[in-house]
Amino acid sequence: MLVGRIMLESYFPVFVFILIGIAFGFAPVIAGMVVGPHRPDSEKLSPYECGFEAFEDARMKFDVRYYLIAIIFILFDLEVAFLLPWATIFREIVHTESVRWFGFLEMLVFIAILVVGYLYAWAKGALDWE
């Protein structure tokens, strides 16, 4: 019984933090619904695109090249997500004799794989936009 109470006391600040976070998330939404004016008219309810009436259907087909560029962007964005932690501990890697070459070669292989993928996408014309 005492162990359960000690565990409950140690998690109580986390529980309070979660409740405060939920309150900060919902309070502006509820305040907007209560305090904000509710005067819909035809202008407010009409669909618009950048201030103009919609030119065509919103469900139009996009060119496949758009998706290829987006996927390549995500891949290179993830590259930075993997490269940044390695760069922050690079000094420690260099000063540690046992992992000096392993850490360096590991990142060279990672970058080489990305360069090969980039060159492949470039050769296939995935980066050309007409």
Side-chain angles (χ1 to χ4, degrees):
M1 183 74 174
L2 183 62
V3 174
R5 183 173 181 180
I6 292 173
M7 276 185 70
L8 183 61
E9 288 176 1
S10 64
Y11 282 110
F12 184 72
V14 175
F15 179 68
V16 171
F17 184 73
I18 290 172
L19 286 179
I20 291 172
I22 291 172
F24 268 99
F26 281 110
V29 174
I30 293 171
M33 289 187 331
V34 171
V35 178
H38 301 284
R39 293 187 298 261
D41 60 7
S42 62
E43 287 289 321
K44 289 182 182 178
L45 296 177
S46 67
Y48 66 94
E49 179 179 321
C50 301
F52 299 105
E53 290 292 325
F55 297 123
E56 56 188 47
D57 186 21
R59 300 177 200 274
M60 64 182 199
K61 294 181 181 180
F62 285 99
D63 193 3
V64 174
R65 289 177 291 191
Y66 171 78
Y67 296 111
L68 289 175
I69 296 287
I71 290 171
I72 290 171
F73 172 76
I74 290 170
L75 287 175
F76 283 101
D77 192 39
L78 287 175
E79 170 197 358
V80 173
F82 285 116
L83 194 59
L84 188 64
W86 179 83
T88 57
I89 63 167
F90 181 71
R91 185 171 292 157
E92 296 170 18
I93 291 173
V94 171
H95 291 304
T96 307
E97 187 67 36
S98 61
V99 295
R100 178 181 296 173
W101 286 106
F102 175 73
F104 181 69
L105 292 175
E106 178 184 33
M107 192 47 63
L108 278 181
V109 168
F110 177 71
I111 292 174
I113 291 171
L114 287 171
V115 167
V116 167
Y118 177 72
L119 292 174
Y120 178 78
W122 192 2
K124 289 293 185 179
L127 302 176
D128 295 334
W129 195 265
E130 298 171 5

